[in-house]
């Protein structure tokens, strides 16, 4: 789980949207063997029955994974948008985030469509309807 989104209504017709990508730079230093191997691989490879990760599994599946209810390092971009979807402010930063849910694209779409898929992993105090509302906000 290497990316996360957030949505927040700010009032006055404005919203805040954030995109957060797992920041592995704390664990992968330039010029190290792990960095060299990651550069050669360039990306993780997703096959029908397996994933061949770009980084060691301990990093991509545990230490750097943006799992729910766990503080994780990220690189984030946050936009403030007006009611027409125009960006009125943006910021880029290294951040510490705590995601509230782990959703596949299919589960996220099902929530937007009003369906109730098999219960996704949602960390308290958040609830399924909170996540559904945020996803719909992102879509609007």
């Amino acid at each position: 789980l290497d990316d996360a989104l957030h949505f927040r209504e700010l009032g006055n017709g404005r919203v805040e949207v954030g995109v957060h990508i797992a920041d592995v730079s704390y664990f992968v230093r330039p010029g190290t063997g792990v960095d060299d191997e990651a550069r050669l691989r360039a990306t993780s490879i997703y096959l029908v029955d397996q994933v061949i990760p770009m980084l060691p599994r301990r990093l991509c599946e545990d230490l750097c994974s943006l799992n729910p209810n766990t503080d994780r390092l990220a690189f984030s971009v946050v936009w403030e948008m007006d009611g027409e979807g125009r960006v009125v402010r943006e910021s880029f930063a290294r951040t510490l985030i705590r995601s509230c849910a782990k959703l596949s694209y299919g589960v996220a779409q099902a929530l937007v469509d009003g369906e109730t898929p098999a219960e996704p992993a949602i960390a308290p105090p958040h609830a399924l309807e909170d996540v559904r509302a945020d996803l719909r906000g992102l879509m609007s």
Side-chain angles (χ1 to χ4, degrees):
L1 185 61
D2 59 2
D3 53 17
L5 302 169
H6 87 258
F7 173 83
R8 184 170 57 148
E9 292 186 26
L10 300 174
N12 297 329
R14 294 198 173 182
V15 297
E16 178 181 271
V17 176
V19 176
H20 313 277
I21 306 297
D23 183 357
V24 301
S25 66
Y26 179 81
F27 298 98
V28 180
R29 298 291 186 205
T32 62
V34 172
D35 181 47
D36 292 343
E37 183 65 24
R39 286 178 185 276
L40 286 173
R41 293 183 182 196
T43 188
S44 295
I45 300 168
Y46 297 88
L47 304 172
V48 173
D49 61 343
Q50 68 177 319
V51 175
I52 302 168
M54 180 176 77
L55 296 170
R57 288 190 186 276
R58 175 100 164 107
L59 291 178
C60 60
E61 294 174 1
D62 182 20
L63 298 173
C64 300
S65 183
L66 302 180
N67 291 319
N69 211 26
T70 305
D71 290 342
R72 288 293 188 240
L73 299 169
F75 189 81
S76 302
V77 58
V78 178
W79 298 281
E80 183 177 327
M81 298 178 181
D82 66 16
E84 301 298 316
R86 289 184 296 258
V87 174
V88 295
R89 184 183 61 81
E90 68 181 6
S91 63
F92 298 85
R94 288 201 156 133
T95 57
L96 182 67
I97 69 165
R98 179 179 285 230
S99 66
C100 72
K102 182 177 185 176
L103 307 175
S104 67
Y105 293 113
V107 168
Q109 187 62 55
L111 289 170
V112 168
D113 293 342
E115 300 169 16
T116 303
E119 193 69 27
I122 299 175
H126 306 280
L128 182 67
E129 289 309 313
D130 299 328
V131 174
R132 184 188 315 272
D134 287 349
L135 287 168
R136 286 182 172 162
L138 284 166
M139 299 294 293
S140 64

